[in-house]
Amino acid sequence: MADDAGLETPLCSEQFGSGEARGCRAAADGSLQWEVGGWRWWGLSRAFTVKPEGRDAGEVGASGAPSPPLSGLQAVFLPQGFPDSVSPDYLPYQLWDSVQAFASSLSGSLATQAVLLGIGVGNAKATVSAATATWLVKDSTGMLGRIVFAWWKGSKLDCNAKQWRLFADILNDVAMFLEIMAPVYPICFTMTVSTSNLAKCIVSVAGGATRAALTVHQARRNNMADVSAKDSSQETLVNLAGLLVSLLMLPLVSGCPGFSLGCFFFLTALHIYANYRAVRALVMETLNEGRLRLVLKHYLQRGEVLDPTAANRMEPLWTVHWVAVQWLVGHACLCCPPPPLHCPLPHSVFELQQLVEGHQESYLLCWDQSQNQVQVVLNQKAGPKTILRAATHGLMLGALQGDGPLPAELEELRNRVRAGPKKESWVVVKETHEVLDMLFPKFLKGLQDAGWKTEKHQLEVDEWRATWLLSPEKKVL
């Protein structure tokens, strides 16, 4: 009976990641016997027995340490600790990303064939010097474009990583289409391939930068390097498969330009669709301008905060999100003349005093009602929550000019603004500070309860900061 009890009571147990735990029991002969375990991703199971020291290992089952639950393929192509070490959207994103990479690899083979044909490969009249000159012009144009684009848009790629990721892949398709069409017009060949390479270099900057931003989102155990390395392995495998398929495809389409172009359009459609599905699968848990607008609008109209999944599903990806109010955070300073964007900052001591009085927040907000533009000046000690409040404040001013339902406090303020004579902008701003003191703490708590990470954000903020005299009760969030 004692032996039966020993077999039923686990002496210890082990678990790999979030997999099924299995126990180890004492067998009748004194050996350690592990339970049969099922590994959820590959359906593998294995039972084994560990013999006590000094016994013949051949008497009972195979001895040895437990085998790792992950198969060789998982260990090679997925981050360690998958799926717990990555975000929940990792697998659907990577699957669709692999589909788009495969389609892009095949399209790239068709484009490369067209470029080589245009340069003169296979043409006895073509010269090496002419081909070299064309290649140098093409590469130098792309290098310059890479530098200019990184300077122009580099700081904005983090804020809208999904949109820029989609833009980069569509631009890559445009570049490959130019390469395919380049041999059709030989007189413009150099200009066409140079333009195409310029677009591809922009793609490399935008695609690489946004991929890094997505890696930060996907890595959940400070394992950015591992996630990035395994993504590179997955991409290499997909490109290798695309290379093998290209070796079979190119001989079939090389003699028929129309069929080659048809294959390219089919692959481009698949590429764009897979990219859209990949980007749409992402669930970013930080607020950028687009997601904040959606969440705040829903909160003001219904009193509920959208969770990250719902907000990301509603976030626009294809078109520019035109809104009722434009706001710029940290783009201005108090030094005059002129401010960096020539924005409507206070022009007198009286106006500055009116903007400062009535609140203790670490930002000043100027509202140009004629252009419906909000300008935010941040204090040097402004933190992420202050920036989030300032952005919420600016968007709330835009809501006052709309016709949708609003909370009682804002509805009363909107009615007073519309009923009376037109007020100065700083008067309305001052009154909205009072309303926001009541609404923002509830909104912030709703964001945190819904799963948003409010300790950081993806709002576009410039580096201008200012200082001004505040009351001693000033608070910094």
Side-chain angles (χ1 to χ4, degrees):
M1 295 294 293
D3 292 343
D4 293 341
L7 277 171
E8 293 177 359
T9 305
L11 299 177
C12 59
S13 63
E14 67 174 6
Q15 180 180 1
F16 190 93
S18 61
E20 181 182 355
R22 59 178 183 174
C24 178
R25 294 177 170 81
D29 60 353
S31 62
L32 298 177
Q33 186 170 10
W34 292 87
E35 293 178 344
V36 177
W39 301 324
R40 84 176 143 178
W41 291 105
W42 295 95
L44 302 176
S45 63
R46 182 178 179 183
F48 52 90
T49 304
V50 180
K51 293 292 292 179
E53 184 178 357
R55 297 204 177 186
D56 184 6
E59 293 180 5
V60 182
S63 63
S67 299
L70 291 180
S71 71
L73 285 177
Q74 282 183 291
V76 171
F77 294 106
L78 293 176
Q80 181 178 345
F82 173 85
D84 302 297
S85 61
V86 292
S87 60
D89 56 13
Y90 177 84
L91 189 60
Y93 175 82
Q94 294 299 126
L95 289 175
W96 283 111
D97 189 58
S98 297
V99 173
Q100 69 86 16
F102 180 75
S104 181
S105 178
L106 298 182
S107 299
S109 299
L110 295 173
T112 300
Q113 183 188 43
V115 171
L116 294 177
L117 178 64
I119 287 179
V121 175
N123 185 356
K125 297 181 180 180
T127 63
V128 175
S129 60
T132 303
T134 300
W135 207 267
L136 292 176
V137 171
K138 175 179 75 73
D139 285 352
S140 59
T141 303
M143 292 175 185
L144 291 175
R146 187 193 302 267
I147 295 173
V148 172
F149 181 77
W151 161 76
W152 182 35
K153 293 293 184 181
S155 61
K156 305 179 186 301
L157 299 178
D158 282 303
C159 304
N160 297 290
K162 294 195 291 185
Q163 289 81 354
W164 280 109
R165 183 76 178 175
L166 193 59
F167 164 81
D169 285 299
I170 293 176
L171 184 60
N172 190 52
D173 291 330
V174 173
M176 289 190 289
F177 176 73
L178 290 175
E179 290 180 340
I180 288 178
M181 298 302 296
V184 179
Y185 304 100
I187 193 173
C188 300
F189 179 81
T190 301
M191 183 179 66
T192 304
V193 295
S194 297
T195 303
S196 172
N197 198 56
L198 173 63
K200 284 191 172 183
C201 287
I202 293 175
V203 168
S204 68
V205 174
T210 53
R211 184 63 192 121
L214 297 182
T215 301
V216 174
H217 159 71
Q218 292 175 334
R220 295 302 166 96
R221 290 183 180 173
N222 293 324
N223 57 339
M224 286 179 53
D226 187 27
V227 173
S228 180
K230 296 305 169 57
D231 178 70
S232 178
S233 296
Q234 295 169 22
E235 186 176 358
T236 301
L237 178 65
V238 171
N239 288 336
L240 179 60
L243 178 63
L244 296 177
V245 174
S246 296
L247 292 175
L248 301 176
M249 179 184 67
L250 291 179
L252 299 177
V253 302
S254 58
C256 183
F259 183 55
S260 176
L261 196 59
C263 290
F264 173 78
F265 285 136
F266 170 76
L267 292 170
T268 298
L270 176 62
H271 180 239
I272 294 176
Y273 175 74
N275 265 296
Y276 174 78
R277 291 297 302 269
V279 171
R280 185 56 79 186
L282 290 169
V283 180
M284 309 295 285
E285 296 152 339
T286 51
L287 289 165
N288 65 355
E289 181 181 350
R291 292 188 286 273
L292 178 60
R293 291 182 189 277
L294 290 171
V295 173
L296 181 61
K297 180 180 179 181
H298 191 272
Y299 178 77
L300 293 178
Q301 293 181 350
R302 302 186 182 183
E304 301 174 352
V305 176
L306 290 172
D307 59 67
T309 301
N312 278 267
R313 189 167 54 244
M314 298 167 60
E315 184 181 7
L317 299 176
W318 294 105
T319 57
V320 177
H321 190 44
W322 296 107
V323 292
V325 60
Q326 296 179 341
W327 58 275
L328 302 168
V329 182
H331 282 65
C333 65
L334 294 178
C335 56
C336 292
L341 294 183
H342 308 279
C343 53
L345 290 174
H347 298 293
S348 66
V349 175
F350 173 77
E351 291 181 9
L352 179 58
Q353 289 175 342
Q354 294 302 320
L355 287 176
V356 172
E357 291 177 0
H359 71 94
Q360 291 82 37
E361 301 300 332
S362 298
Y363 69 90
L364 300 179
L365 191 147
C366 306
W367 184 26
D368 183 2
Q369 296 188 60
S370 60
Q371 298 182 7
N372 203 20
Q373 183 184 76
V374 174
Q375 190 78 21
V376 178
V377 182
L378 297 175
N379 187 272
Q380 292 181 350
K381 296 183 180 181
K385 291 183 181 179
T386 297
I387 295 174
L388 181 60
R389 175 183 167 121
T392 303
H393 193 171
L395 296 175
M396 194 174 290
L397 286 172
L400 292 177
Q401 295 190 342
D403 297 322
L406 293 175
E409 302 90 340
L410 275 179
E411 184 67 36
E412 180 182 354
L413 176 59
R414 181 168 65 181
N415 292 336
R416 289 205 312 269
V417 171
R418 291 181 175 180
K422 185 176 180 180
K423 299 182 179 181
E424 295 289 341
S425 296
W426 61 265
V427 177
V428 181
V429 169
K430 193 172 182 178
E431 293 179 351
T432 54
H433 266 295
E434 300 173 359
V435 175
L436 202 61
D437 286 338
M438 295 182 290
L439 288 182
F440 185 72
K442 301 177 184 177
F443 179 58
L444 181 62
K445 186 178 185 304
L447 289 173
Q448 295 168 345
D449 293 341
W452 292 100
K453 296 180 179 179
T454 57
E455 68 276 8
K456 55 184 179 180
H457 60 82
Q458 294 296 338
L459 298 168
E460 184 181 345
V461 181
D462 209 335
E463 295 302 314
W464 285 100
R465 297 295 184 271
T467 57
W468 57 87
L469 295 177
L470 284 178
S471 61
E473 298 83 25
K474 171 188 157 183
K475 59 181 179 179
V476 178
L477 293 179

